[in-house]
Amino acid sequence: MRTAVLVFCSLLGLSGTALAQSPVLDFESLPEGQAAGAAIAGVSFTNATVLQSAASLNEAEFPPRSGNKVVCDIGGPIKVTFNQPVKSFTAYITHSQTVTLKMVAPNGGVITQTTAAGDNRLGSGKTPNEAVQLTSDTGFTQVELSSAPGGSSFTVDDITTSLFVPPPPKFFTDITSLTFDYVSGRLAPPPMSIFVSAEPDVAFTVTTPTSWIQAITSRGITPANVSVAVHPEKFEPGQYFGTVVFTNSKNEKITIPVTVRVGAKPSLYSSPVSFTFKYRKGDAAPASQLIQVGALSANVDFFVLTKDPWVKVTPDFATTGHLDLNQRVSVDVSKLEPGHYESAIYVYSNEATNSPLGVPVILDVTAPATSEANQQGQGR
C-alpha cells in the first residue's frame, strides 16, 4: 500500500491556534508528506507524516473519514506528547493489523492500553475508520499507537481530545497565601480571614509553627472562617516567613505560607528645607510660601509648631501624602522693627524617627523707603 502517517492531536489547532478552537483535527491544513513534529502548538509528534488521496495515500484500502488527508505510522510507533494533560481522545483508524494504544501519565507510567484488532481495510469484510477512544479521570500527557515494527500499517483521521480539568480538592481553603505589610512603630496589621471547607464536612485543627503568627481559633468544623493575626512589633525592617497549617480528621493537611513585610519607621522631610522672607516696612506683607511635608516609607499624621509667634503655618495639622494639600508658611511683620530675624518651624509626628523636624525661617526687615530718602537729604 501507499503509506500514511498517523498524527494524534489534541484540541490544539494548527500553526499556533489553540486546541479548543479546533475540536476536530482532520489534517486538511497540513502539507502532504510533512512530518507533524512540532507543527501543532502545544503537542509534539514522532513518526508522523501526512498523506493525501490520489497522491501518496492508497485510498482504495485506507480511505479518509473526511476530506482527503490522513496520517500514518511511518518509521515506527507514533508518540504524541501534550504540554498539558488531556482527559480523552477519539480517533478513527484504518489498519492492516492490530494496533495497540497506550495512555501515558504525567509521571511516565502507563495508565492503560487497548487494541484495535485485526484488519479493517476496504475489502477486508470490516468497516474502515474504526472509532477508538481513550479516557482517563486522572489525565494523561502522551498517547502511543503501535502496530507493525517498521510502521506503514495504519492511518488515522478526525482526532478529537478534551483537556483534563483536575477535580476540586475535597479539603481546601479559599486562599493559598497571606501577606501582611507592617511599618515599624505602628500597631500590628489587622488580622486576615481564611475560609476552610471540605466535602463532606470534617473537623480540623489549626497550628502555627512560629510564635509571631496566631490563629484566633485552634480547631473547628468545616465550613469555617479562621482569622490569622501576626505580631511583628519587635521585628527589624525586612521580610519574615511562616506558615499556618490546617489538618483535618483524616490527617490531610493544607499549608498556607505567611509573609510579613516590615518597613522602616517613617522619617520626616520638608520641601523646601528652609524659608527666606524679605520685607521693607510700608510695603505689602510678604507673600506666603508653600511647604510640603512628607515621610519616607509610610504616610504619617503630623502637626506643626513655630518657634516665634510671627511665623504661622496653615493648616497646622495634616497627613503626609496628600498632594492636593495647600499648606502655607507666612510671616506677620506688623510689629517687627527693621532687622534680621531667625526662627523655625517644627514638624512633629509620633510615628517618625526624626520628630521634631526643624525647618529654618529667616526674615529680613528693612526701613521704609521714605526714611531712606530723608536720611540721604539730611546728609547733603
Side-chain angles (χ1 to χ4, degrees):
M1 74 170 186
R2 301 191 199 95
T3 57
V5 175
L6 168 65
V7 177
F8 171 60
C9 285
S10 171
L11 294 180
L12 298 174
L14 301 176
S15 303
T17 303
L19 206 89
Q21 295 175 345
S22 180
V24 178
L25 179 61
D26 57 13
F27 311 107
E28 297 305 309
S29 59
L30 290 178
E32 179 190 11
Q34 174 179 299
I40 300 174
V43 62
S44 60
F45 308 88
T46 59
N47 301 324
T49 304
V50 178
L51 301 180
Q52 182 172 322
S53 298
S56 55
L57 176 66
N58 178 8
E59 68 274 16
E61 295 183 5
F62 296 86
R65 181 173 182 268
S66 66
N68 61 4
K69 291 181 181 178
V70 296
V71 290
C72 174
D73 61 325
I74 293 181
I78 293 176
K79 292 182 181 179
V80 185
T81 304
F82 303 95
N83 66 351
Q84 56 184 319
V86 295
K87 181 178 181 179
S88 69
F89 87 82
T90 301
Y92 294 86
I93 64 174
T94 302
H95 44 94
S96 61
Q97 57 191 59
T98 298
V99 178
T100 300
L101 301 93
K102 295 180 182 179
M103 284 189 297
V104 181
N107 63 7
V110 176
I111 298 174
T112 188
Q113 68 179 48
T114 187
T115 59
D119 181 354
N120 74 333
R121 293 174 294 174
L122 279 177
S124 68
K126 295 183 179 179
T127 303
N129 289 306
E130 175 184 356
V132 293
Q133 185 176 55
L134 295 177
T135 302
S136 170
D137 290 335
T138 58
F140 53 98
T141 53
Q142 189 179 86
V143 174
E144 179 179 320
L145 303 97
S146 60
S147 186
S152 300
S153 56
F154 60 89
T155 61
V156 178
D157 201 4
D158 291 350
I159 295 173
T160 60
T161 67
S162 61
L163 295 178
F164 174 70
V165 179
K170 294 184 178 180
F171 181 50
F172 59 94
T173 57
D174 63 336
I175 58 174
T176 56
S177 65
L178 291 176
T179 299
F180 295 85
D181 288 306
Y182 172 69
V183 176
S184 296
R186 293 186 170 180
L187 296 175
M192 293 187 181
S193 182
I194 301 175
F195 178 73
V196 57
S197 186
E199 298 177 2
D201 291 339
V202 293
F204 67 91
T205 59
V206 188
T207 55
T208 55
T210 52
S211 60
W212 51 271
I213 302 175
Q214 177 188 5
I216 306 305
T217 182
S218 61
R219 63 185 63 249
I221 298 177
T222 60
N225 284 294
V226 176
S227 291
V228 176
V230 294
H231 299 281
E233 292 89 340
K234 296 181 180 181
F235 288 173
E236 295 296 321
Q239 290 196 82
Y240 299 83
F241 305 95
T243 57
V244 176
V245 181
F246 293 85
T247 305
N248 68 16
S249 55
K250 300 177 182 178
N251 205 35
E252 297 171 327
K253 296 180 183 293
I254 301 173
T255 300
I256 306 295
V258 177
T259 302
V260 175
R261 299 183 296 204
V262 180
K265 194 172 182 179
S267 176
L268 293 167
Y269 67 88
S270 76
S271 178
V273 297
S274 65
F275 291 87
T276 298
F277 294 88
K278 294 183 181 297
Y279 172 65
R280 185 167 63 181
K281 291 187 73 67
D283 291 349
S288 63
Q289 299 180 39
L290 282 172
I291 181 174
Q292 180 185 1
V293 177
L296 299 176
S297 82
N299 288 318
V300 298
D301 295 332
F302 68 91
F303 64 93
V304 177
L305 296 177
T306 60
K307 179 181 177 182
D308 296 291
W310 53 267
V311 180
K312 299 183 182 299
V313 179
T314 54
D316 59 4
F317 179 87
T319 302
T320 61
H322 289 219
L323 299 180
D324 58 346
L325 175 65
N326 254 341
Q327 196 167 25
R328 307 194 75 90
V329 178
S330 60
V331 291
D332 180 5
V333 296
S334 61
K335 299 179 181 179
L336 298 180
E337 295 300 319
H340 177 78
Y341 298 85
E342 294 185 0
S343 188
I345 298 166
Y346 296 106
V347 182
Y348 290 84
S349 174
N350 293 331
E351 300 178 81
T353 57
N354 60 338
S355 176
L357 171 69
V359 183
V361 178
I362 296 173
L363 170 64
D364 287 307
V365 180
T366 58
T370 54
S371 297
E372 292 177 1
N374 290 337
Q375 291 172 1
Q376 292 175 359
Q378 292 172 359
R380 289 193 182 94

